[in-house]
Amino acid sequence: MVINGNLYCEMARSAAASLENNKDDINALNVFPVPDGDTGINMALTMSGVLDGLTHNGSVFDCAEKVAITLLRGARGNSGVILSLFFRGLAKQFKGSETADIELLAKAFENATKAAYGAVMEPKEGTILTVMRAASESAREYVDSGKDDVMGLFEHMRQASEDMLERTPEMLPVLKKAGVVDAGGQGFVVILEGMYS
């Protein structure tokens, strides 16, 4: 199985819908860096543009580029900017590709994570960045183990991200004190769940 442009667009729309459906729960977790309760709203607004009839029957790169531009234009708040740059990193890795196989997907997630980290002057562990890194590292591990199943890859990334999310309170004392996981990290897990579904 490979990801073509049409399927990538469907995955992006599903991720956006998943965020929209879970934004209030994500908002309720928002205590870092500022307890303003808007991480879910910002992430959902950032991705909302892909819900408005984004379709594409061309290459995976062409669709990923459209998604990235839409997110960059709609980015809201710190979490939205990080998210938009993550999707921009995916698109850059897909450049020149008609479809994405499992190896290209793993490379794209690695590149996207680097792009997201590059957006933050002083990255803190225990945030959305840490959860993104867990996903990309697990993708590389999955591919290097010789497996070749795209659905399995996304399930593996989702599980690794969820596991890392549960550890975020141990990395950021403010999360532990509030008894919550990182809001942005939760949002990223929701995105992976949407893409997988």
Side-chain angles (χ1 to χ4, degrees), residues 1-179:
M1 177 184 182
V2 294
I3 306 294
N4 60 23
N6 186 53
L7 180 53
Y8 186 87
C9 282
E10 287 181 20
M11 291 166 68
R13 282 196 304 272
S14 181
S18 189
L19 264 180
E20 180 62 29
N21 292 336
N22 290 279
K23 67 183 176 189
D24 292 338
D25 292 337
I26 297 167
N27 285 339
L29 302 171
N30 186 198
V31 297
F32 180 85
V34 179
D36 49 12
D38 65 358
T39 295
I41 291 169
N42 286 338
M43 294 180 82
L45 284 173
T46 298
M47 288 204 72
S48 65
V50 302
L51 289 171
D52 300 331
L54 177 72
T55 57
H56 189 72
N57 293 317
S59 72
V60 68
F61 168 67
D62 290 340
C63 181
E65 185 77 356
K66 283 185 176 183
V67 169
I69 289 168
T70 300
L71 267 64
L72 285 166
R73 287 180 179 155
R76 301 286 191 280
N78 291 336
S79 55
V81 170
I82 291 168
L83 186 58
S84 69
L85 291 171
F86 181 88
F87 275 87
R88 182 74 182 140
L90 290 175
K92 283 186 175 182
Q93 192 64 51
F94 293 148
K95 188 168 186 178
S97 298
E98 282 294 318
T99 60
D101 62 9
I102 196 168
E103 174 63 35
L104 183 54
L105 286 166
K107 285 180 181 174
F109 269 79
E110 289 170 325
N111 189 60
T113 299
K114 286 178 189 168
Y117 267 90
V120 181
M121 286 181 66
E122 294 181 22
K124 292 267 189 201
E125 294 305 321
T127 66
I128 186 174
L129 297 171
T130 309
V131 178
M132 286 173 170
R133 192 183 74 240
S136 67
E137 288 174 352
S138 73
R140 175 49 52 201
E141 169 193 283
Y142 187 85
V143 172
D144 287 350
S145 73
K147 295 174 182 159
D148 191 26
D149 174 27
V150 170
M151 294 291 287
L153 173 72
F154 273 89
E155 172 56 24
H156 193 68
M157 286 193 294
R158 188 204 58 76
Q159 187 61 58
S161 298
E162 203 166 82
D163 292 346
M164 183 60 76
L165 177 68
E166 294 304 316
R167 293 169 47 200
T168 57
E170 301 304 318
M171 300 177 209
L172 276 177
V174 67
L175 299 178
K176 190 169 189 175
K177 184 177 179 182

